Amino acid sequence: MDDGTGLLVAGTWVNGPGRLPVADKYTGDVIAELHVPGPGQVDAAIASAARSVGQLPHQERALVLRRAARLLDERRDTVVDQYVAETGFTPADAVTELDRTLLILELCAQEALRLTGEMVPVQAAAGHHDSLCFTLRVPVGVVAAVTPFNAPLSTVAHKIAPALAAGNAVVLKPSEQTPLSAIALVHALLDAGLPEGLVHLLPGPGETVGDQLVRHPDVRYITFTGSTAVGRRIRAVSGLARTHLELGSNSPTLLWRDADLDLALPLLARAGYRKAGQVCTSVQRLFVHETIADEATTRLTALVQTIAYGDPRAAGTQVGPLIDTGAARRAQALVEDAVGHGSRLLTGGAREGAVIAPALLAGLPDGARLAAEEAFAPLIAVASVGSLDEAVRQIEATRYGLQAGVFCQDLDVALGFARRLHTGGVIINDTSSCHPDPMPYGGVKDSGQGVEGPGYAVPDMTDSRTVLIRHRHPLD
Ligand code: NAP
């Protein structure tokens, strides 16, 4: 085990010049004090990673990822406790994310074993009737992974595991608010036999440690999940490194007039509020066909009122605190702004410290900040619509484009919705927050570029190298 520094450079847990206290998000107690690297240590981590790329044969990559999954599973009680403390999410949220992480590691192990290039039909070109052409998939090099606070296990796994499966070396900068889960994942990889130099861990602030990392000319690929503002900044300073950006959203879901409300409403009561709404695909804007708006709103209000909130460790709690009091104050201000623009607060919205009572608003007037911005808080605003055109127009009226959901029995309407929206994904008969890990997942517009999902991320984290063989004899 490490000596508690949390700072891993070239296979050694080292001290750094700065300190990073990590707090329990409900009690406020400091639960760890990590070391923050100085600029020389960031450079040393990148140099060590650059020396280590391509060390591990494909079979070994898969073995290490599978062993790491087993170790994480064996350590689940400790991992869950630490996760709950550093995030403020509930133990049930922790278990869901841990199980997803195990699956991501397994899927990436499988991708490592099937990673290959392709044959190229060069015979189409004049003079190449007897040439042979194929591509190799080679590691892209040093991958910088920069991750947000709200999925400190699964998002980190969605970055480190494909990078390693593709043969790269990783330098990880986890969120300074929730670095402990990332450390647990890195420990599992090292204990599973990952050679030193293939993973580096740099806790610390984004503006310093993260900025230095993403500007570094030896970083070849940046995989980032976080806010649109930071994603933009990374694009502006990252030079020729390839960037994969998973950014913010204010995700919509539509209840069409034939929606199965018995199915939809419990899913919405979860998808708008789990992890205190701090999920990029969390339902923030709910559009409901006017013919069912009264019934859907009344029933959803009753469901939201049953959501227990407060201490994440208390039995039955579904919604814990937001990541800090500042985030909760911002959420409160968004609710007040919406009410000021004419929304009706149907339930919730009160703040106590960092905890916000699950909120439901009726009406999402143009001009309200909630109609355009990402709340990242336990709230849904419901708007009634009279037609698919109107729903699409309102949904499209933001700069975001991550995922959208529609509950609908009519195939023409469901597919019309899927074809007309500019989002990375459309989920039919589930909410915008439905995200099975094998699927290609990513946003368009201000929600990002590129897709995650092991089958897509692993090849994307390689370079394609073309091999052309001129052959003196006809091939067939
Ligand atoms: P954030 O503030 O953008 O931070 C994300 C990461 O970037 C953190 O590690 C942060 O460091 C780092 N960072 C900050 N400034 C940087 C810079 N100048 N250069 C390099 N790195 C920098 O996001 P967050 O508040 O942690 O997470 C919430 C956001 O993530 C929401 O907008 C949410 O929608 C988005 N998100 C998107 C997805 C998706 O799949 N599309 C999934 C999850 C979350 P610190 O340690 O200093 O914070």
Side-chain angles (χ1 to χ4, degrees):
M1 292 295 276
D2 70 311
D3 60 4
T5 71
L7 170 56
L8 178 68
V9 178
T12 310
W13 298 96
V14 294
N15 293 343
R19 293 290 181 280
L20 172 65
V22 182
D24 181 300
K25 300 303 180 291
Y26 185 68
T27 66
D29 297 342
V30 172
I31 52 174
E33 185 120 17
L34 305 180
H35 284 243
V36 172
Q41 289 171 311
V42 176
D43 284 342
I46 295 167
S48 159
R51 286 192 301 274
S52 308
V53 172
Q55 255 185 38
L56 213 53
H58 292 73
Q59 282 192 339
E60 281 292 314
R61 299 175 200 169
L63 276 177
V64 165
L65 291 168
R66 286 187 166 133
R67 272 194 225 120
R70 261 200 315 278
L71 289 169
L72 263 187
D73 200 11
E74 285 167 22
R75 298 169 186 174
R76 105 177 0 246
D77 290 349
T78 317
V79 173
V80 165
D81 284 353
Q82 192 174 259
Y83 175 107
V84 170
E86 73 169 350
T87 59
F89 301 157
T90 65
D93 290 328
V95 168
T96 303
E97 205 177 315
L98 175 56
D99 288 340
R100 287 183 60 188
T101 299
L102 304 185
L103 176 65
I104 294 161
L105 292 171
E106 168 58 28
L107 293 173
C108 287
Q110 293 176 15
E111 291 302 326
L113 296 178
R114 63 169 150 252
L115 184 61
T116 189
E118 60 184 18
M119 295 299 298
V120 183
V122 278
Q123 70 272 15
H128 283 277
H129 63 280
D130 51 4
S131 293
L132 192 60
C133 186
F134 57 93
T135 62
L136 300 173
R137 287 268 164 206
V138 298
V140 66
V142 177
V143 172
V146 181
T147 52
F149 74 81
N150 70 309
L153 268 178
S154 61
T155 294
V156 175
H158 263 305
K159 301 194 170 324
I160 297 188
L164 295 176
N168 301 298
V170 186
V171 183
L172 168 67
K173 209 288 303 164
S175 163
E176 59 184 323
Q177 285 161 311
T178 57
L180 302 181
S181 300
I183 294 174
L185 179 51
V186 167
H187 272 303
L189 287 163
L190 295 175
D191 295 345
L194 187 73
E196 59 183 47
L198 283 184
V199 68
H200 299 75
L201 189 53
L202 305 177
E207 302 80 52
T208 52
V209 176
D211 182 69
Q212 187 185 346
L213 179 60
V214 299
R215 283 174 186 271
H216 201 290
D218 293 340
V219 167
R220 308 303 312 160
Y221 189 109
I222 298 166
T223 173
F224 170 76
T225 298
S227 60
T228 302
V230 173
R232 253 201 203 99
R233 211 167 307 148
I234 288 175
R235 271 301 296 264
V237 301
S238 55
L240 291 179
R242 273 156 54 194
T243 49
H244 168 224
L245 306 173
E246 297 284 354
L247 308 177
S249 178
N250 54 7
S251 299
T253 292
L254 170 65
L255 293 179
W256 191 241
R257 60 180 159 227
D258 61 0
D260 178 348
L261 292 183
D262 293 339
L263 168 75
L265 296 177
L267 289 171
L268 284 162
R270 184 165 161 63
Y273 303 94
R274 76 180 195 288
K275 290 184 164 181
Q278 297 165 112
V279 179
C280 49
T281 52
S282 197
V283 179
Q284 176 175 327
R285 297 176 300 148
L286 178 63
F287 298 94
V288 185
H289 195 273
E290 60 193 12
T291 53
I292 59 163
D294 286 347
E295 182 192 354
T297 309
T298 306
R299 287 176 60 184
L300 186 57
T301 307
L303 275 179
V304 174
Q305 283 167 341
T306 66
I307 296 175
Y309 60 95
D311 180 352
R313 295 179 183 90
T317 299
Q318 290 162 274
V319 171
L322 273 76
I323 195 67
D324 55 32
T325 309
R329 283 208 181 94
R330 179 176 171 271
Q332 195 181 24
L334 286 174
V335 170
E336 286 165 6
D337 171 79
V339 170
H341 278 83
S343 286
R344 263 184 317 121
L345 185 58
L346 299 173
T347 187
R351 181 180 69 83
E352 198 178 325
V355 176
I356 293 269
L360 189 67
L361 293 126
L364 189 54
D366 287 347
R369 289 173 60 197
L370 270 184
E373 295 179 28
E374 176 179 47
F376 228 50
L379 61 85
I380 294 179
V382 186
S384 155
V385 288
S387 66
L388 189 60
D389 281 352
E390 194 184 341
V392 169
R393 184 189 61 74
Q394 291 202 40
I395 288 171
E396 289 281 277
T398 86
R399 298 196 56 82
Y400 293 118
L402 187 52
Q403 286 204 148
V406 56
F407 287 87
C408 175
Q409 310 297 321
D410 183 328
L411 200 56
D412 284 344
V413 172
L415 289 180
F417 188 75
R419 284 184 190 280
R420 290 171 64 186
L421 287 186
H422 295 88
T423 55
V426 174
I427 311 292
I428 296 171
N429 286 326
D430 206 325
T431 70
S432 56
S433 211
C434 175
H435 175 195
D437 291 289
M439 80 177 189
Y441 167 79
V444 298
K445 296 165 47 183
D446 282 7
S447 291
Q449 46 183 238
V451 289
E452 224 158 52
Y456 308 88
V458 175
D460 199 55
M461 290 182 177
T462 63
D463 282 329
S464 176
R465 182 172 302 152
T466 305
V467 179
L468 176 77
I469 305 175
R470 301 304 303 263
H471 202 279
R472 270 193 268 143
H473 305 290
L475 289 173
D476 50 36

